[in-house]
Amino acid sequence: MIRNLVLIAALAALGCSGSAPGVSALQRISAQRAIRTEVEAAYDFSRPNVPGNLMALYAPTGPILSASGGRITTSRDSLRAGIQAFWTNVGENMRDAHVEWTAMHIDVLAPGVAVMTATYRIPHKQPSGLPHVIGGAWTAVFVLRNGHWYIVEEQLSHNPFAS
């Protein structure tokens, strides 16, 4: 159902120029602001429980599709395990890490559907003290449920030249 809604909204948006039909300027600005705020807060590594903060971006029910590292994850449990593995193996070893959003485009396709495409860098120090940067690009489809924007599909691409 949601996948069909996203597809229909995306196709409708492709066929028009300017604002998506049925989306007021206030709805567009409100959605863009809410999504940006949620994403930036989730990726604030100074806050406790980073894996939980990241998981809060995803829809609490229904299917979730996440493509990253040449794999597709299709369940919340698998996604949670992947996020936890990243944080345990990489995130907890980054010193003075912070996310720099080098670009963030949020296109509101319908009153309850939006797509964010962003690029990011995470400069930090390795445990040895050497500077290092990871980064990439991220596209995520958000749906509005019960007044909150949640990711239902995403694709992440690592940039091997981020440093």
Side-chain angles (χ1 to χ4, degrees):
M1 167 85 172
I2 290 174
R3 183 180 298 255
N4 291 339
L5 176 63
V6 171
L7 180 59
I8 290 167
L11 290 173
L14 287 174
C16 66
S17 60
S19 297
V23 178
S24 71
L26 181 59
Q27 286 172 315
R28 180 179 47 78
I29 291 167
S30 176
Q32 290 170 332
R33 187 171 292 147
I35 291 168
R36 177 181 285 277
T37 299
E38 289 294 324
V39 167
E40 288 176 349
Y43 280 84
D44 179 352
F45 295 158
S46 69
R47 295 175 56 217
N49 189 21
V50 173
N53 298 337
L54 297 175
M55 276 304 297
L57 291 171
Y58 298 89
T61 61
I64 297 174
L65 296 173
S66 178
S68 178
R71 297 191 140 141
I72 296 175
T73 300
T74 60
S75 74
R76 283 186 64 75
D77 290 341
S78 296
L79 181 62
R80 184 184 329 276
I83 288 172
Q84 186 62 55
F86 165 78
W87 190 248
T88 300
N89 297 316
V90 178
E92 289 180 349
N93 293 309
M94 297 187 297
R95 305 293 179 252
D96 302 321
H98 65 280
V99 178
E100 296 173 356
W101 298 100
T102 54
M104 186 181 291
H105 305 278
I106 301 168
D107 190 10
V108 182
L109 303 176
V113 180
V115 176
M116 177 198 75
T117 300
T119 53
Y120 61 91
R121 302 174 71 247
I122 307 174
H124 61 279
K125 290 187 177 120
Q126 298 173 341
S128 66
L130 291 174
H132 187 250
V133 178
I134 59 175
W138 179 28
T139 297
V141 177
F142 289 79
V143 295
L144 184 61
R145 293 185 186 161
N146 301 319
H148 187 85
W149 289 94
Y150 292 108
I151 297 170
V152 293
E153 292 196 30
E154 69 178 347
Q155 195 276 325
L156 294 106
S157 300
H158 173 69
N159 179 357
F161 305 107
S163 36

